[in-house]
Amino acid sequence: GGARCVPSPTPPMVLSGSADAFAKQIWTRRTASGVVLLTGFLAGPRDSAVAEVLSCDEAAERLVAQFSQLLGLKSSPAYLDALKKVSWGATDPWAAGAYSSPTVGACGAWRALQDTGSEVLLYAGEAVSERGSTVDSALDSGRRAAAELCASLKAARA
């Protein structure tokens, strides 16, 4: 029944102003098949310490409970099909804990980064997405770049 219902449309981001919140930001995405994906954003020394000691199941339980509470759901969604806990902090050789955040006056800069004017050089990542600064944005821009590349290759073969 109601325990499995997540509002539709699902808000793309849920913010928490609580100092003791597990995740300060929860990014959401509803797939074409109706599955809701949650990404919890934990940053800074306090969050890193908390995230490191929790098991994957414990982290997922806290994230789902916080999401349910913030949306006013009577209970947490009943099904959890898969979960993954990733730390891309200082020990990650590729990310080194980095993420993009546009500065004042940079509104729309993502368009300039996205439009390389080339069919060979394509950029993807959170910095070239309109939503910016989220894992979902990086995934979206990767799909966009892949579609552009496929279209370019298809046109070249025609």
Side-chain angles (χ1 to χ4, degrees):
R4 289 184 222 106
C5 292
V6 174
S8 186
T10 306
M13 184 184 300
V14 181
L15 303 174
S16 176
S18 172
D20 60 343
F22 175 65
K24 302 297 185 241
Q25 299 176 17
I26 300 175
W27 303 319
T28 66
R29 169 186 296 269
R30 186 180 294 266
T31 67
S33 62
V35 173
V36 176
L37 305 176
L38 300 179
T39 303
F41 181 69
L42 289 80
R46 176 215 163 255
D47 289 354
S48 293
V50 168
E52 292 303 317
V53 298
L54 294 177
S55 71
C56 197
D57 288 337
E58 291 167 329
E61 186 178 303
R62 284 197 187 181
L63 185 65
V64 171
Q66 180 182 341
F67 177 73
S68 298
Q69 178 190 22
L70 289 170
L71 291 185
L73 301 178
K74 292 180 181 161
S75 60
S76 294
Y79 295 119
L80 183 62
D81 294 330
L83 54 99
K84 184 171 184 177
K85 179 180 153 188
V86 178
S87 174
W88 45 272
T91 59
D92 182 312
W94 298 104
Y99 64 95
S100 67
S101 183
T103 60
V104 173
C107 185
W110 62 272
R111 285 187 187 95
L113 290 170
Q114 190 181 87
D115 185 15
T116 63
S118 171
E119 294 178 359
V120 179
L121 176 65
L122 301 171
Y123 288 130
E126 64 185 3
V128 296
S129 176
E130 182 176 15
R131 284 179 60 194
S133 297
T134 69
V135 173
D136 285 343
S137 297
L139 293 170
D140 284 344
S141 69
R143 288 184 193 98
R144 178 209 34 89
E148 287 180 22
L149 179 61
C150 288
S152 176
L153 292 172
K154 190 174 185 179
R157 290 184 187 150

